[in-house]
Amino acid sequence: MTEVMSKISIEKISQSKITEVDFNNIVFGKQFSDHMFVADYKDGKWSDFKILPFGKIEVSPACAALHYGQAVFEGMKAYKNEQNEVLLFRPLDNAKRLNISAKRLCMPEIPEDIFMEGLTQLIKLDSEWVPKTEGSSLYIRPYMFASEQLLGVRPADEYKFIIFTAPVNSYYAEPVNVKIETSYSRATEGGVGYAKAAGNYAAALYPAKLGQDAGYQQLIWTDSVNHEYIEESGTMNVMFHIGDKLITPNLDFKTTLAGITRNSVLTLAKDLGITVEERRVSVTEVINAAKEGVLKDVFGTGTAATIAQVASITFKDDKYVLPKIEERELSNKLAKMLQEIKHEKIEDKYSWIHKI
């Protein structure tokens, strides 16, 4: 037993809520598992490790996160294999990225052993909540926020780290229609675009709503200077299969999240012998490829959807329809490989799976 594990106090729920859930009809992100892991940062250290029944938390009206936005989070999933064992996909990468985000927002890093022990004990306790049905999983949300009572613009001295979970089905039921955004920006160079900061998502809501009102499920974000180069699609990384190459925006300008699914897809594509290019991708290049008939596929990559295929791209007043889903050999194959790795149906050559 590790030192961290020995310090985790566990209070179990009196009666599980699992019988109230129809696992065949789950609304994404609306039903939550029985317990949550909580840790507090105070006096320069993390302590008071607890697993509690999922429920409300008490914060002051002067809670620093509510006023100054010090809040970061992660998204990850748990799966089950045929032996009913619980599997996590690349959890240490989520821990590392959470700390990258925390550092950028002047927040304390969470030690990886605390992250992993809290996560492990929580998932063990709620293992029955990991769905067994095809296309379902247990979504895991680790997050950190400034909890100090504070009116005064400075980094807080107190923080909470919490992990809770929710059984989920597929995020997108079908391919999405997207619009290339040329008025609003998701991120700027020198900003926090590479961090999973809560404020990034708040800033994206209004332009996304305008797009949805116009009939688009998502936006393709472009650079904030001239809206010339593509960065992300909605809340996901984005990839373009042009000719015989898989092309995706690079991470050099720190306006794009270093997606764990993104990295996994690129790794698998290289394994398949596909030429992969990580570089600046211009709107003009993508539109010309669509006009010339060499744009074979466009898809987003992320934890929630894994691979979300794009049905059409609209740029200004022109709509470009992508090939039928059954014709998209590469993204279909990559999606299948990822799912099979996550459920231990094929070899995990990269040691991505962490078994609980």
Side-chain angles (χ1 to χ4, degrees), residues 53-125:
F54 177 85
K56 296 179 180 179
I57 57 175
E58 185 176 291
V59 295
S60 164
C63 171
L66 301 178
H67 299 272
Y68 307 118
Q70 277 186 292
V72 296
F73 69 92
E74 276 297 317
M76 51 199 297
K77 286 181 177 179
Y79 306 85
K80 280 188 173 173
N81 60 15
E82 293 178 353
Q83 291 74 43
N84 209 38
E85 296 171 309
V86 179
L87 313 171
L88 301 177
F89 185 72
R90 303 184 67 170
L92 275 171
D93 291 294
N94 289 99
K96 293 178 189 300
R97 191 172 63 183
L98 182 75
N99 284 332
I100 289 171
S101 298
K103 184 176 180 180
R104 178 61 183 84
L105 270 72
C106 215
M107 303 168 72
E109 296 183 21
I110 183 88
E112 289 179 9
D113 63 334
I114 294 175
F115 183 103
M116 290 301 299
E117 291 290 4
L119 174 63
T120 299
Q121 293 305 305
L122 178 65
I123 301 302
K124 278 184 178 179
L125 189 59

Side-chain angles (χ1 to χ4, degrees), residues 172-226:
Y172 293 113
E174 56 188 26
V176 295
N177 296 300
V178 303
K179 181 189 85 164
I180 295 178
E181 179 58 50
T182 57
S183 297
Y184 295 92
S185 300
R186 176 192 167 274
T188 61
E189 291 183 40
V192 295
Y194 67 94
K196 280 188 78 71
N200 287 347
Y201 296 80
L205 293 177
Y206 180 66
K209 183 182 184 302
L210 294 179
Q212 290 161 5
D213 291 345
Y216 306 102
Q217 284 82 38
Q218 277 295 356
L219 303 176
I220 288 183
W221 299 104
T222 53
D223 71 277
S224 62
V225 180
N226 298 311

Side-chain angles (χ1 to χ4, degrees), residues 60-340:
S60 164
C63 171
L66 301 178
H67 299 272
Y68 307 118
Q70 277 186 292
V72 296
F73 69 92
E74 276 297 317
M76 51 199 297
K77 286 181 177 179
Y79 306 85
K80 280 188 173 173
N81 60 15
E82 293 178 353
Q83 291 74 43
N84 209 38
E85 296 171 309
V86 179
L87 313 171
L88 301 177
F89 185 72
R90 303 184 67 170
L92 275 171
D93 291 294
N94 289 99
K96 293 178 189 300
R97 191 172 63 183
L98 182 75
N99 284 332
I100 289 171
S101 298
K103 184 176 180 180
R104 178 61 183 84
L105 270 72
C106 215
M107 303 168 72
E109 296 183 21
I110 183 88
E112 289 179 9
D113 63 334
I114 294 175
F115 183 103
M116 290 301 299
E117 291 290 4
L119 174 63
T120 299
Q121 293 305 305
L122 178 65
I123 301 302
K124 278 184 178 179
L125 189 59
D126 282 347
S127 61
E128 290 302 309
W129 284 85
V130 183
K132 302 174 186 177
T133 51
E134 186 73 25
S136 300
S137 57
L138 186 71
Y139 187 87
I140 303 167
R141 171 52 57 87
Y143 71 108
M144 186 197 307
F145 67 93
S147 55
E148 183 184 2
Q149 298 184 77
L150 172 64
L151 289 180
V153 183
R154 63 163 173 80
D157 290 329
E158 298 175 8
Y159 297 84
K160 275 192 179 293
F161 173 69
I162 298 176
I163 307 174
F164 65 91
T165 67
V168 295
N169 286 332
S170 299
Y171 195 79
Y172 293 113
E174 56 188 26
V176 295
N177 296 300
V178 303
K179 181 189 85 164
I180 295 178
E181 179 58 50
T182 57
S183 297
Y184 295 92
S185 300
R186 176 192 167 274
T188 61
E189 291 183 40
V192 295
Y194 67 94
K196 280 188 78 71
N200 287 347
Y201 296 80
L205 293 177
Y206 180 66
K209 183 182 184 302
L210 294 179
Q212 290 161 5
D213 291 345
Y216 306 102
Q217 284 82 38
Q218 277 295 356
L219 303 176
I220 288 183
W221 299 104
T222 53
D223 71 277
S224 62
V225 180
N226 298 311
H227 297 288
E228 180 182 355
Y229 294 99
I230 289 170
E231 295 188 337
E232 291 193 3
S233 179
T235 57
M236 298 177 288
N237 296 115
V238 63
M239 300 194 179
F240 304 91
H241 189 192
I242 299 176
D244 60 355
K245 297 177 181 178
L246 184 62
I247 305 169
T248 193
N250 57 18
L251 308 176
D252 296 2
F253 300 92
K254 291 198 171 183
T255 54
T256 301
L257 186 71
I260 295 165
T261 306
R262 172 190 184 276
N263 177 269
S264 305
V265 166
L266 295 179
T267 300
L268 294 177
K270 291 173 185 176
D271 268 359
L272 294 173
I274 303 297
T275 299
V276 170
E277 292 184 358
E278 297 179 67
R279 57 172 173 79
R280 300 211 87 173
V281 183
S282 70
V283 174
T284 300
E285 177 184 6
V286 171
I287 296 305
N288 285 343
K291 289 178 179 178
E292 295 164 7
V294 293
L295 182 60
K296 297 179 179 179
D297 200 353
V298 179
F299 57 92
T301 63
T303 298
T306 304
I307 286 181
Q309 293 162 318
V310 172
S312 69
I313 295 177
T314 297
F315 178 55
K316 296 182 178 177
D317 295 323
D318 297 318
K319 181 178 181 179
Y320 302 91
V321 177
L322 277 296
K324 296 177 181 178
I325 296 304
E326 56 269 23
E327 297 174 4
R328 306 192 198 188
E329 294 182 11
L330 181 57
S331 61
N332 288 335
K333 187 165 189 175
L334 290 168
K336 185 172 185 289
M337 290 175 71
L338 272 176
Q339 287 305 105
E340 289 180 339

